[in-house]
Amino acid sequence: MIETPSGEPLVPVFDWYQYSSPTNVRDLLEVLEPIAHEEPFRDDTPKLKGYGWAKKWGGPGGSVLIHYGGRNGDQYGPNVAGTGPLAPRVADLTRAASIPHGVGRTDVRLDYLGDYDACRLRFIERCNAAGMATRDAGSCPESSMQLGRTVYGGSVSSVYQPTLYQKALQLKAQRVDGLPENYLRLEHRFTPSKSIEKAQLAALTPMEIVGLRPVARDLSLSLAELAVKPYKLTKQVKERDAYYWMLRQHSKTLYRLLDDHGSPAAVGQQMFLDLADIEEEEAAH
């Protein structure tokens, strides 16, 4: 168990869970359906090379992205990536349904309150002892406003890479306010290339994954010694909901209706009259 000086457990959690599976994309969508609630997965532009199509749910605060079809889709099957707070849900649903899969990337995070400078020095000491070069960055990962600081251990091409950064400042760049300034995140990233390693990750808990590497285990324990307390993030980046996507997808139609009817109020009135007609027609059948 990883504990802070006060005896509180510092629990590792999935923050990225990405895998390929021979399972048909329709079956995967059915397995992951509980994530979508009332808003279905939407079509998206493929981000990974070699895939023909993609479907997505969520946004900057956490998403599920499924690539399928195309050369890689035909050879390896769909590729599923759950990020942020949706990563544990993707892992749980996939495993509960006994979906065969190999994990190509997983990030395990530990969130806590602490002094960044002290933790950074401890991080660098352990990485140097392991022969892992460290690199400082003037901003946090995915921080478009260049806020916060980050230190990386090892190479981006390594199977394992640890990262420590000022999570509160990263989220501030994404307009999430009210977080403690000393909110830090220690992140362990695993990107195996061998099939046996990918299959192994598909069966391990976040705590067990941290235990795979002595550096990961030691960093988690030693930085926990410097932690004031664990921190649970409850505020998230505001998601773009179904209403947003409806407006984006049908903006041209709405402006055409505005030209036809002359005012936003008239457009709204006409839309609800038409909606009532549709509901009445469906009820009759």
Side-chain angles (χ1 to χ4, degrees), residues 2 11 139 159 168 202 207 213 267 269 280 283-284:
I2 304 170
V11 182
S139 65
V159 171
M207 180 70 81
R213 294 294 179 106
V267 170
Q269 184 179 25
E280 184 178 345

Side-chain angles (χ1 to χ4, degrees), residues 27-186:
D27 294 333
L28 285 174
L29 286 169
E30 183 176 348
V31 166
L32 299 173
E33 185 179 11
I35 292 176
H37 308 298
E38 296 180 357
E39 178 185 351
F41 280 82
R42 61 183 181 274
D43 292 333
D44 197 62
T45 303
K47 307 296 189 300
L48 299 179
K49 293 182 179 179
Y51 290 89
W53 299 274
K55 287 187 176 293
K56 185 177 183 179
W57 193 91
S63 66
V64 181
L65 183 59
I66 305 175
H67 286 81
Y68 61 101
R71 174 172 48 83
N72 284 346
D74 292 342
Q75 184 174 358
Y76 304 109
N79 183 285
V80 178
T83 67
L86 293 178
R89 189 75 170 128
V90 167
D92 290 345
L93 289 172
T94 301
R95 294 177 179 193
S98 299
I99 297 295
H101 65 290
V103 177
R105 173 183 168 182
T106 186
D107 298 354
V108 175
R109 62 175 170 84
L110 293 96
D111 288 359
Y112 64 97
L113 304 183
D115 180 80
Y116 178 78
D117 290 325
C119 291
R120 172 184 171 275
L121 290 177
R122 183 75 62 89
F123 181 97
I124 291 174
E125 288 174 0
R126 183 60 185 92
C127 288
N128 285 346
M132 300 170 66
T134 56
R135 175 174 60 89
D136 282 296
S139 65
C140 292
E142 302 177 10
S143 176
S144 59
M145 297 173 62
Q146 300 297 297
L147 294 178
R149 296 159 61 198
T150 300
V151 58
Y152 298 91
S155 169
V156 293
S157 61
S158 299
V159 171
Y160 165 67
Q161 185 182 41
T163 306
L164 173 70
Y165 59 101
Q166 295 175 295
K167 184 64 179 178
L169 298 185
Q170 181 215 39
L171 291 174
K172 187 175 181 180
Q174 296 174 297
R175 296 177 176 82
V176 181
D177 298 319
L179 301 176
E181 289 287 325
N182 61 340
Y183 168 29
L184 308 180
R185 172 168 292 179
L186 173 63

Side-chain angles (χ1 to χ4, degrees), residues 233-281:
L233 179 64
T234 55
K235 296 183 178 182
Q236 297 293 342
V237 179
K238 186 177 181 181
E239 302 291 353
R240 292 173 172 176
D241 56 14
Y243 177 71
Y244 169 88
W245 294 110
M246 181 194 73
L247 294 178
R248 180 173 174 178
Q249 183 175 357
H250 300 291
S251 60
K252 291 182 179 179
T253 301
L254 291 172
Y255 280 116
R256 189 166 61 248
L257 288 170
L258 181 61
D259 290 339
D260 292 342
H261 294 278
S263 72
V267 170
Q269 184 179 25
Q270 185 61 55
M271 288 176 64
F272 277 99
L273 287 172
D274 293 340
L275 183 60
D277 289 341
I278 292 172
E279 291 175 345
E280 184 178 345
E281 183 178 347

